[in-house]
Amino acid sequence: MDTKTASLADNLRMLPLAQAVAEVDPNAVVVSTADCVLTYAELDRWSNRLARLLLQIGANLDTRVALAISDDIESVVAERAIVKVGGTPVPVATDGMFALGTTLGVTTKARRADLTDQIDWLVLDDRSTLQRYLAGSDAPLSNDEYLLPKSA
């Protein structure tokens, strides 16, 4: 079954409700593109890694996190990671406008040049981000991890 994100408005999407992988078929497809298929198990692992990076840069409960990603797979992973840390994903319009009240954001190199410097951006395809991401654990987050201090 191909479960894609459901469009709620021009720039707002809603993922299927977050459920533990054990509660759904881990091999069920969450989203697919022409060259990639993302299963629930992969979404869970990838979003755990990204959630840890978000916690390290200061995201936590009630943090509004700007989301400026064009790729469907990366967008779904980022949205789920933001929700896992208790944050709220705030889509950024394609013209670079951002939602007020966001101090953190997730983007890619392709979009970064068009975005404000008033937000601390985590650039997913930046070499240093990729190194931290790939070296991070994909295990479920523990309660202790939500208390991580913001990195300097």
Side-chain angles (χ1 to χ4, degrees), residues 28-89:
V29 174
V30 177
V31 66
S32 64
T33 63
D35 59 348
C36 188
V37 171
L38 183 70
T39 66
Y40 274 96
E42 293 166 331
L43 173 60
D44 194 48
R45 291 191 306 267
W46 292 8
S47 62
N48 286 342
R49 287 177 190 235
L50 184 54
R52 286 184 171 86
L53 292 181
L54 291 169
L55 287 168
Q56 289 172 7
I57 65 169
N60 56 39
L61 185 63
D62 297 329
T63 301
R64 293 169 44 91
V65 181
L67 191 57
I69 302 173
S70 300
D71 181 83
D72 287 340
I73 301 285
E74 290 174 342
S75 180
V76 168
V77 171
E79 287 178 43
R80 183 57 55 94
I82 293 165
V83 170
K84 280 186 177 187
V85 301
T88 302

Side-chain angles (χ1 to χ4, degrees), residues 1-141:
M1 182 173 148
D2 186 15
T3 307
K4 296 188 184 256
T5 56
S7 177
L8 297 177
D10 289 343
N11 66 349
L12 180 64
R13 295 183 302 176
M14 184 172 151
L15 289 171
L17 292 177
Q19 298 176 356
V21 172
E23 296 175 21
V24 297
D25 177 2
N27 296 314
V29 174
V30 177
V31 66
S32 64
T33 63
D35 59 348
C36 188
V37 171
L38 183 70
T39 66
Y40 274 96
E42 293 166 331
L43 173 60
D44 194 48
R45 291 191 306 267
W46 292 8
S47 62
N48 286 342
R49 287 177 190 235
L50 184 54
R52 286 184 171 86
L53 292 181
L54 291 169
L55 287 168
Q56 289 172 7
I57 65 169
N60 56 39
L61 185 63
D62 297 329
T63 301
R64 293 169 44 91
V65 181
L67 191 57
I69 302 173
S70 300
D71 181 83
D72 287 340
I73 301 285
E74 290 174 342
S75 180
V76 168
V77 171
E79 287 178 43
R80 183 57 55 94
I82 293 165
V83 170
K84 280 186 177 187
V85 301
T88 302
V90 180
V92 174
T94 55
D95 62 4
M97 294 301 293
F98 65 97
L100 296 175
T102 57
T103 57
L104 298 175
V106 180
T107 192
T108 58
K109 287 180 182 178
R111 295 279 312 269
R112 180 60 186 100
D114 298 328
L115 302 169
T116 181
D117 290 332
Q118 296 174 339
I119 291 177
D120 185 15
W121 292 101
L122 179 66
V123 181
L124 293 178
D125 50 353
D126 180 75
R127 183 180 174 144
S128 64
T129 302
L130 286 170
Q131 288 173 334
R132 290 173 30 218
Y133 177 81
L134 294 173
S137 171
D138 64 2
L141 278 71

